[in-house]
Amino acid sequence: MQLMTSHQRAILLMIIAPTLWSMAGVMTRHLESAQGFEVTFWRSLFSALFVAGALLYRQGLPKTVDTVRKGGGLGVLSGMMWSVMFICFMVALTRTTVANTLIVMSVAPLLTAFLAWLILKEHVAPRTWLAIGAAFAGISWMFVHGMSEVDGQHLTGMMIAGAVPVAAAINLIAIKRAGHGVDLVPSVLLGSVFAAALMLPVAWPLETSLHDIAILATLGFFQLGLPCMLMVKAMKNLTAPEVSLLSLLEVLLGPLWAWLGAGEVPAQETLVGGAVVMAALVFNELAPSRRPQSTALQ
């Protein structure tokens, strides 16, 4: 890791994060009885425990409290957006397929690039716009030709999933707005706490089996808390559109794991569209015209 530049380390973190995120669909398919609200409660609770434990281990209680306080309004906004993503993603998964959920979420790069340009006045490189356009074309192909049949339940799930890219775009802009001087890792903790608190009344009475709690603990620790912390760290050396584009790895890998581990076979068009998205991601990071490493955006 010491031989890598800060930009390369950030890219590595943003490969690891969506890879971990992409495990959610296949793991939830192995739950015995836990339903949407209860799934979201337990996953968020375990995420909060993981992030709190990591912060306390790294810096102790007084500094952790001070770090949360220094996040200010942007920290609270980021926490609220995390909670929207945590809740809507899991509830959507209980109402439609993994592929349908992730395809709806894939509009996030377009929203993020627009908000970065509008609010942060952040220059979006032509190659990034091109990559976003190519990725959107690939995902549109997946959507039009490879999406599962949409009945009432699937449509409801996809509408719920639509809140995720909106919240994700707002969250990325909030983190970038905070800049290097403010640590917004605690906002992941706030989001987990908010989500758990909101879900508890509607999830009660809690009837989850120990088998399901074990799966949800794994999700909370390693599919939610850890990768979200990694993403916040990566944001310090990547632009908001870059992070959002790299997050599309979740869209590619999620249906793959659901296919291999839960029998949700993706259509051929989904594989073709996924290849287009992957090519766009690789192009965006390897294009010779990539900005110098020392730009003010880092």
Side-chain angles (χ1 to χ4, degrees):
M1 291 289 286
Q2 293 179 349
L3 300 178
M4 302 173 69
T5 66
S6 58
H7 187 263
Q8 289 170 336
R9 285 195 297 271
I11 291 174
L12 178 59
L13 293 179
M14 276 311 303
I15 291 174
I16 295 172
T19 299
L20 293 173
W21 286 331
S22 68
M23 301 295 180
V26 64
M27 294 187 71
T28 56
R29 293 302 185 251
H30 292 284
L31 294 172
E32 291 178 337
S33 59
Q35 299 299 313
F37 295 134
E38 195 167 358
V39 168
T40 306
F41 166 75
W42 284 111
R43 191 182 72 134
S44 299
L45 176 64
F46 284 118
S47 173
L49 292 174
F50 178 87
V51 178
L55 290 172
L56 291 172
Y57 176 78
R58 283 171 42 203
Q59 54 192 31
L61 180 59
K63 190 173 180 180
T64 295
V65 173
D66 186 58
T67 304
V68 173
R69 181 184 59 80
K70 287 182 177 178
L74 285 175
V76 174
L77 175 62
S78 179
M80 292 171 62
M81 293 304 101
W82 281 121
S83 69
V84 170
M85 289 186 280
F86 296 167
I87 292 171
C88 292
F89 176 69
M90 293 306 295
V91 173
L93 279 182
T94 65
R95 286 164 171 77
T96 188
T97 66
V98 175
N100 288 353
T101 300
L102 294 176
I103 287 170
V104 172
M105 289 167 51
S106 64
V107 301
L110 285 173
L111 295 176
T112 302
F114 175 72
L115 290 180
W117 169 77
L118 181 67
I119 298 174
L120 301 178
K121 309 302 179 184
E122 187 174 275
H123 171 69
V124 181
R127 77 174 198 290
T128 300
W129 283 117
L130 181 61
I132 290 173
F136 186 73
I139 290 164
S140 297
W141 178 264
M142 295 163 66
F143 183 88
V144 173
H145 297 282
M147 190 179 65
S148 301
E149 181 181 352
V150 179
D151 56 19
Q153 178 171 311
H154 282 294
L155 183 59
T156 299
M158 294 172 70
M159 291 177 64
I160 293 171
V164 178
V166 176
I170 295 172
N171 189 30
L172 290 175
I173 298 306
I175 295 172
K176 290 301 290 185
R177 171 75 78 174
H180 287 267
V182 180
D183 183 4
L184 285 191
V185 169
S187 67
V188 181
L189 171 60
L190 292 179
S192 300
V193 171
F194 293 161
L198 287 170
M199 289 296 98
L200 180 58
V202 291
W204 193 267
L206 302 176
E207 300 174 341
T208 307
S209 67
L210 291 179
H211 170 272
D212 286 0
I213 287 179
I215 292 177
L216 294 170
T218 303
L219 284 171
F221 289 171
F222 302 113
Q223 184 273 328
L224 192 62
L226 176 60
C228 290
M229 294 174 69
L230 295 180
M231 192 209 79
V232 175
K233 291 294 186 183
M235 282 291 294
K236 295 184 181 297
N237 293 290
L238 296 173
T239 66
E242 274 186 305
V243 171
S244 193
L245 264 176
L246 288 167
S247 296
L248 288 181
L249 285 171
E250 180 184 8
V251 177
L252 303 182
L253 296 175
L256 175 62
W257 306 143
W259 176 25
L260 297 176
E264 289 187 10
V265 181
Q268 182 178 356
E269 291 83 356
T270 300
L271 300 178
V272 174
V276 173
V277 175
M278 179 63 75
L281 299 182
V282 172
F283 167 77
N284 187 60
E285 293 306 329
L286 298 183
S289 59
R290 188 177 69 204
R291 70 191 191 290
Q293 299 299 325
S294 59
T295 64
L297 290 176
Q298 296 181 351

